[in-house]
Amino acid sequence: MRSLRHLLPAMSPFRLPEQLRAAAGAVVGLLLCSLLVATGSPVSGLTVALVAPLGASAVLLFAVPNSPLAQPWSALVGNVISALVALAALTFVPAPWTAGLAVGGAILAMMMLRALHPPGGAVALLSVLDPEPVLEAGVWFAFVPVGITTATLVVAAIGYNHLTGRAYPFRQADTPKGREAALRLGLTNDDLGALLSRFNQSTNLGVADLGRLLAAAEEEAAQHRFNGTTCADVMTRDLITARPDAPLTELARLFRDNAIKSLPVIDDHGKLLGLVLQADLIAPLIVAGPVTALRQKRSTLMASDIMRPATAAVPHDLPVGLLLNRLAAQGVEVVPVTRAGQLAGILTRSDIIGLLLRGSDERRAGLRGVSA
């Protein structure tokens, strides 16, 4: 029974809205192709007709639009190059080798061009099984009807998937932007690509979508790990702050009198402008030079001159577990927390360590209860 389980369906359970969306997309796409056929060929002497592999292309383009196999480059180039390979096989390869070499050559050509599209194999086989229109049209067969109908289906898929909330064409991986990539993964695009290659999944899933899946999994794990604790739950709220025009002497006094490691800089409305650390206060004085220059520097510098930008701030409702990578691997000491654009608190390594220790005590108590 355990072995037979592997023969059962591997897809997720049936969800009517998604399946109807994909099926309706195939209807729309092939309807447009049919209308194109009805209008005739743009090239004199050539016939535009629907080819059977377009049905398989429609399955990929509308049912699994995130798959690398369904992308515009894969669909269009894959079908066209497969038709060209089939034409070459019909011309130079005798039976009974024609079908096998046509399909095998199409697969090789598609993979070399990074355009693997399973219906391309069907295009090659269909061309061999019904060679008359292929040989009659010659090289043009790859472009009319195969290329032009595939292009029509791709254009329909781009519009339809966009209107129904699906990302198509494929989301290419780029430099991570926003708090999702910066706070969650800690993995580069090369790392993600290596994972896909290690598990032989590079043709089934793209780097960008793998990153989104891992980010969602990490966020879910962080929610479980910290029981939904957000930054607002553990941040320090009673803050010592400074104005952007505060001189260095005032900043030094605030650090000395309050035993703090960071000093948020805010405007009159409470908006976070930047952050001053103790090292930021010392650095400009060290490079000031002689004593006279040092006194002049100390009297003219203000908080706005030495503060760090507030780009590292996080929203108050961010799950605190998502900050672990930033505080640990990236060496960040303090993270400002904002609410509606205004400074709400500060998170430090000490806050996170305290939360981790509190969680470990609760887990040990739970384990003792189970063993008892």
Side-chain angles (χ1 to χ4, degrees), residues 204-239:
N204 298 322
L205 187 66
V207 168
D209 285 308
L210 176 61
R212 288 175 176 85
L213 286 174
L214 291 179
E218 188 170 354
E219 180 176 2
E220 189 69 21
Q223 290 280 11
H224 289 296
R225 173 68 178 79
F226 295 103
N227 297 320
T229 302
T230 65
C231 294
D233 297 326
V234 295
M235 67 185 183
T236 301
R237 299 175 182 272
D238 298 326
L239 301 177

Side-chain angles (χ1 to χ4, degrees), residues 20 42 51 75 85 124 142 148 201 212 224 296 339 361:
L20 285 179
V51 291
V85 170
I148 192 170
Q201 294 298 313
R212 288 175 176 85
H224 289 296
Q296 183 180 4
R339 185 195 300 265
D361 292 339

